[in-house]
Amino acid sequence: MENEITLKRFTDLRRELGYTQAEFAKLLGVSNTTADIERGRTKLSGKVVTELLRQFKINPLWLFGESEQQYLETSNTSVIPKVVTVDSSDKENMVLVNAKAAAGYPQNIQDTSWYRQLPAFDLPIPEFRNATYRGFQVEGDSMLPNLKPGEWVLAKSVEDIDHVSPNKIYVVVLEDAVLVKKIERLPNRNHITLVSLNESYPPYEIKPFQIQELWQVSSKITFGVDATTEKGLLKQLQESMEELKDQLRLTKN
């Protein structure tokens, strides 16, 4: 007979994950149902413990009542930038990823030569100094009213998925798409919910390992119509930066 803590934790876990006894049995490779395990009639096999660890990152010590840490590290996924870009004097600079480039970004994420074809500029503002920033163009209307299609966001690289805040907006680079979303994480849940501000887009769930890079949006820039060329874009960006610097000076005075 398993100890009562193990049976309770196993049963609570199944309910928390939202599976019926039959569904949970199928996932864990147990015949028919987990009812016998939950009643203590069938021993909790090593295979079941292994599957719980493999599929849901459940800590075996927690299951047997010897630890309070229910989940082991959820992803071990690195979300830091795969390539950091520098200018001719080896100073880090900011690359601008427009909507067209964003379509190829996930596939070229580790290709340093691919980044060289994108416009980049230096940001001579202290706030932008000690971190990696990248500019992304917003595509689609899922973040209306805050972000309009065609606007740009400046975003700072996030080191760890656990540093995500529910109040911020993020650029989420998946295996096949670059999305601008809010992120919700419930404690002890092995998935992440991506939320649009435009309510006509339903939230959807992904697994942490699906994220290649994560960038936290720090500011947005709206360009005028003459920013269609690269030169026009950089010129307006520099003007916006000057305004940003002025705002920062004003807030400090």
Side-chain angles (χ1 to χ4, degrees):
M1 171 89 183
E2 304 286 349
N3 72 40
E4 283 183 17
I5 288 183
T6 302
L7 299 183
K8 182 175 187 322
R9 287 188 169 180
F10 179 83
T11 309
D12 288 349
L13 174 68
R14 173 181 63 75
R15 289 178 177 145
E16 183 190 311
L17 292 169
Y19 294 109
T20 65
Q21 291 177 323
E23 289 167 342
F24 210 37
K26 193 175 176 191
L27 272 175
L28 301 175
V30 178
S31 53
N32 300 329
T33 162
T34 56
D36 283 351
I37 295 175
E38 291 176 28
R39 291 194 194 106
R41 285 184 192 157
T42 306
K43 198 166 166 37
L44 195 62
S45 69
K47 182 182 187 314
V48 168
V49 175
T50 304
E51 286 302 311
L52 288 172
L53 175 60
R54 194 174 66 80
Q55 294 186 49
F56 303 105
K57 307 290 187 276
I58 299 302
N59 179 1
L61 292 175
W62 171 82
L63 202 56
F64 295 116
E66 291 179 32
S67 165
E68 290 309 307
Q69 187 189 347
Q70 182 175 355
Y71 290 83
L72 295 175
E73 175 57 47
T74 50
S75 65
N76 278 336
T77 311
S78 168
V79 294
I80 58 174
K82 305 295 177 269
V83 171
V84 172
T85 55
V86 292
D87 61 19
S88 52
S89 56
D90 269 357
K91 277 208 196 84
E92 204 174 306
N93 59 16
M94 189 192 291
V95 168
L96 296 176
V97 183
N98 65 22
K100 185 167 175 266
Y105 188 98
Q107 294 78 26
N108 292 291
I109 202 159
Q110 310 223 24
D111 180 359
T112 46
S113 60
W114 182 82
Y115 288 85
R116 288 191 200 115
Q117 55 158 359
L118 300 175
F121 67 99
D122 178 40
L123 272 181
I125 304 177
E127 279 74 7
F128 286 92
R129 268 282 167 247
N130 300 317
T132 299
Y133 279 83
R134 200 154 283 170
F136 292 90
Q137 190 175 25
V138 177
E139 203 177 4
D141 57 0
S142 70
M143 296 307 273
L144 289 174
N146 298 36
L147 297 170
K148 298 184 186 72
E151 284 185 327
W152 287 73
V153 291
L154 303 185
K156 175 184 176 181
S157 68
V158 176
E159 299 225 334
D160 192 305
I161 218 154
D162 292 333
H163 299 166
V164 162
S165 155
N167 309 319
K168 306 278 186 197
I169 292 175
Y170 292 88
V171 177
V172 186
V173 183
L174 298 177
E175 290 146 333
D176 57 358
V178 177
L179 307 171
V180 184
K181 296 282 175 240
K182 290 189 87 166
I183 293 179
E184 283 177 6
R185 282 192 86 186
L186 296 171
N188 286 348
R189 281 299 167 102
N190 198 20
H191 60 247
I192 286 168
T193 307
L194 300 181
V195 182
S196 302
L197 295 178
N198 181 343
E199 286 173 6
S200 58
Y201 289 83
Y204 59 93
E205 288 177 2
I206 59 165
K207 296 278 187 200
F209 67 79
Q210 292 175 269
I211 298 178
Q212 295 201 73
E213 286 179 357
L214 206 48
W215 301 81
Q216 183 182 303
V217 172
S218 56
S219 48
K220 75 164 181 176
I221 294 177
T222 308
F223 292 122
V225 284
D226 58 341
T228 44
T229 66
E230 202 171 292
K231 277 204 178 100
L233 182 64
L234 288 173
K235 183 168 165 286
Q236 290 200 19
L237 199 43
Q238 275 149 356
E239 286 167 6
S240 302
M241 283 296 128
E242 292 303 323
E243 283 172 30
L244 199 57
K245 274 194 277 194
D246 291 342
Q247 284 168 15
L248 289 167
R249 275 192 217 104
L250 287 172
T251 53
K252 281 175 186 156
N253 294 342

